Amino acid sequence: MRHEKIFQMEFGRVYGLLLDKALRKGRTEAEVDAIISWLTGYSTDQIRRAAAVPYGDFLRQAPAPNPDRVLIKGTVCGVRVEEVEDPLLREIRYLDKLIDELARGRPLKKILRKPGESPLWTCPRCGRSFRHREQDHYCGEAPKTIEDYIAAQPEAVQDRLRQVNAAVRAGLPEAAEKISWSMPTYWRGRNLIQFAASKKHIGLYPGPEAVAAFAPRLSDYPTSKGAIQLPHGKPLPLKLITAIARWCGENP
């Protein structure tokens, strides 16, 4: 699929395309950098040094994703940004949307969202109103641990998520657990592997090298260059998940 290739593009190439779009409309490189910094927390120097980093990794490893990015609404490539299910692709579309607005002449101070600029959404479960979309809401504080994340998911998938988490933990017993890009993440100096619940599957995100390395054993599962889909209703390949997680820890 087209977006799977985007994950592997060098960030410098993507940056060049975004910058060209802005410059052709009379905007500046400083404005493009300001948008990327606002969205990800990278400094201008860090943005320059990341030219050879795969675009997907550039976003996964962002030092300070802006919590107000969930206020970004609208259509990119015919799809509403807030309805993009894949977490990494959603981050890419956030940046696409902001650069589109820059190229259309919107003032930078309006592009960089602030609370109060998006209509309220009312949770049908708890009745409270929020300025972010439903799938980022947990009827309380955002999850701080993997167990918090799992407990906030539908009961029908909680046991499967715990099995996936245990399988990953078995392969990475010394890695730290964290929440990154709203996903359970195992980290050791960098994000090693992530997973997340979706409507029809659990997504496992070990990165493109791991998917390629295990391709012969993944023939029964939909994959992209950086992701594996584990369909609901199908037995989980727990030993395989552990092997993939261990591989991620052994292959920086």
Side-chain angles (χ1 to χ4, degrees):
M1 296 175 66
R2 184 178 178 184
H3 68 259
E4 295 163 4
K5 296 179 180 179
I6 295 175
F7 296 162
Q8 292 309 302
M9 289 176 63
E10 289 187 350
F11 172 69
R13 181 182 174 192
V14 176
Y15 179 86
L17 295 172
L18 298 174
L19 179 61
D20 182 63
K21 177 184 288 188
L23 294 178
R24 282 188 283 108
K25 297 297 183 177
R27 307 311 290 260
T28 69
E29 183 176 26
E31 289 177 309
V32 172
D33 290 347
I35 286 173
I36 296 173
S37 294
W38 178 89
L39 188 67
T40 64
Y42 285 113
S43 68
T44 300
D45 287 344
Q46 289 173 320
I47 292 171
R48 298 289 178 272
R49 293 197 299 268
V53 175
Y55 192 20
D57 290 347
F58 176 81
L59 293 172
R60 289 189 188 98
Q61 298 168 12
N66 194 314
D68 289 337
R69 71 194 188 284
V70 296
L71 301 175
I72 300 170
K73 311 289 183 181
T75 302
V76 174
C77 299
V79 178
R80 294 197 64 80
V81 173
E82 62 269 29
E83 295 176 358
V84 175
E85 183 174 304
D86 183 279
L88 183 56
L89 182 59
R90 191 188 317 143
E91 301 299 334
I92 288 174
R93 294 312 184 205
Y94 282 155
L95 181 52
D96 289 340
K97 176 62 177 169
L98 297 186
I99 297 299
D100 282 351
E101 293 180 3
L102 185 70
R104 290 200 303 269
R106 192 177 191 198
L108 186 63
K109 66 180 181 179
K110 293 290 187 180
I111 294 172
L112 307 184
R113 268 64 169 178
K114 296 179 182 178
E117 295 179 355
S118 180
L120 293 175
W121 170 80
T122 301
C123 175
R125 289 173 288 178
C126 69
R128 291 184 294 160
S129 294
F130 298 85
R131 297 193 183 279
H132 49 70
R133 60 198 190 90
E134 179 177 2
Q135 61 206 82
D136 288 319
H137 169 53
Y138 297 92
C139 278
E141 295 183 358
K144 294 182 174 62
T145 68
I146 291 179
E147 180 54 33
D148 287 345
Y149 174 92
I150 292 173
Q153 304 306 313
E155 290 187 10
V157 300
Q158 288 183 16
D159 181 63
R160 290 175 65 81
L161 287 167
R162 290 190 176 98
Q163 291 182 56
V164 170
N165 188 40
V168 173
R169 167 54 64 195
L172 292 168
E174 297 180 0
E177 298 184 16
K178 62 186 292 189
I179 299 295
S180 179
W181 296 106
S182 302
M183 290 187 288
T185 301
Y186 278 78
W187 184 90
R188 191 169 63 217
R190 63 183 179 88
N191 290 347
L192 299 174
I193 188 170
Q194 299 173 292
F195 64 92
S198 295
K199 290 182 180 179
K200 296 182 179 181
H201 65 270
I202 293 173
L204 188 68
Y205 305 98
E209 293 83 3
V211 173
F214 285 86
R217 299 172 62 181
L218 292 170
S219 59
D220 292 336
Y221 303 92
T223 64
S224 71
K225 289 185 179 179
I228 303 163
Q229 293 183 10
L230 307 173
H232 296 323
K234 186 173 183 177
L236 291 166
L238 299 177
K239 291 183 179 179
L240 178 57
I241 293 171
T242 296
I244 292 171
R246 184 179 298 114
W247 188 96
C248 290
E250 295 173 349
N251 294 270

